[in-house]
Amino acid sequence: MTVHARSLRLAAHGELVSLLVMPANLATAHLKPLSSLLGPLHGCAYLFVVIAVWRLKGIDTTARAIAVIPGIGGLLTLHRIGRQGSRATTPRQDSGV
């Protein structure tokens, strides 16, 4: 099974947004239906991000460990993966000294 970057990005954003909305709901209206929706949504998005990152090929151990951080780990991992890809495709420039 291959993991598409779009689905990983969507899950990472969903994880972060749900984590931000849950305490806001508790601090304001505390709507029980919203809590019942956001809890499982956050849990599923978190598990999807962690499992998807661990299944990717060519990812270093640090990126896999970062993915485990709740809320922001998926976005940080995507950022790290993007940097690794751009670093691998750009030629190294010597200073010419």
Side-chain angles (χ1 to χ4, degrees), residues 3 8 48-56 59 63-64 67 77 81:
V3 177
L8 182 59
F48 181 85
V49 167
V50 170
I51 292 169
V53 168
W54 279 78
R55 291 182 58 102
L56 289 174
I59 303 300
R64 288 189 172 120
T77 302
I81 291 170

Side-chain angles (χ1 to χ4, degrees), residues 3-16:
V3 177
H4 298 286
R6 183 177 180 189
S7 59
L8 182 59
R9 193 174 305 115
L10 181 67
H13 282 94
E15 178 190 2
L16 178 62

Side-chain angles (χ1 to χ4, degrees), residues 11 40 46 65 73 83 85:
Y46 173 74
R83 274 197 348 230

Side-chain angles (χ1 to χ4, degrees), residues 21-39:
V21 173
M22 281 191 294
N25 179 41
L26 285 174
T28 58
H30 191 48
L31 300 171
K32 292 198 185 272
L34 189 60
S35 297
S36 297
L37 175 71
L38 290 174

